[in-house]
Amino acid sequence: MTKSMTMDQLFLDEVRDLYDAEKQLTKALPKMAKAASSEALRTVFEAHLGQTQEHVTRLEQIFDSLGEKGAGKKCAAMQGLIKEGDQLVSEMHQGALRDAGLIAAAQKVEHYEISGYGSARTHAQMLGHSEAVSLLDETLGEEKEADRKLNDLAEGTINDEAMEESGSDMKVRRAGPRTRTAGH
Ligand code: ZN
Ligand code: FE
Ligand code: FE
């Protein structure tokens, strides 16, 4: 059902969505850390868990600054992203290939958050909620940093290890003899 809404309500909904998303993540990140084979990857997940707990606190500060009670609004997107990550973990053996998949799943989460915080910050700016702007901006910076760290890990070693460990059908096919005859 549609209802008439103000920019203030849209903004509050966005903050409530982020609040629920971050809370879901505080439960998912320990599982992702446990599933990681690479110690470096585990460390990134554990460090981001600490930051994520701060993100929850910052969102509570935003509710306070707006005089609103801190209540989440179920974030279906984060629920879906976490579900995909869980599936990946249960379908694959532990190792570098699964780590490469875990990084991809985690980067989807970071990109979702980066997008959500970016929009919420813009809307807070328009509404003149300066305390919210600076709190959202701080978290946005940490989400971007987490995304960069994951990228560095993937491109630095984990993707190569995954290829070495598990190989690729493409490589075999390319190296193999050509069996197609002219005309086909
Ligand atoms: Zn976060
Ligand atoms: Fe959401
Ligand atoms: Fe994050």
Side-chain angles (χ1 to χ4, degrees), residues 71-89:
K73 184 183 185 201
K74 186 152 156 197
C75 176
M78 186 59 77
Q79 198 177 31
L81 291 170
I82 290 172
K83 192 175 166 191
E84 287 187 6
D86 281 346
Q87 267 167 5
L88 182 131
V89 168

Side-chain angles (χ1 to χ4, degrees), residues 22 25 29 48 52 55 109-110 113 142-143 146:
E22 296 284 21
L25 260 185
L29 278 166
H48 198 54
T52 299
H55 299 171
V109 167
E110 295 315 315
E113 292 185 292
E142 291 176 3
E143 308 294 16

Side-chain angles (χ1 to χ4, degrees), residues 24-36:
Q24 289 187 47
L25 260 185
T26 58
K27 290 178 200 144
L29 278 166
K31 292 186 207 163
M32 292 168 84
K34 231 173 134 184

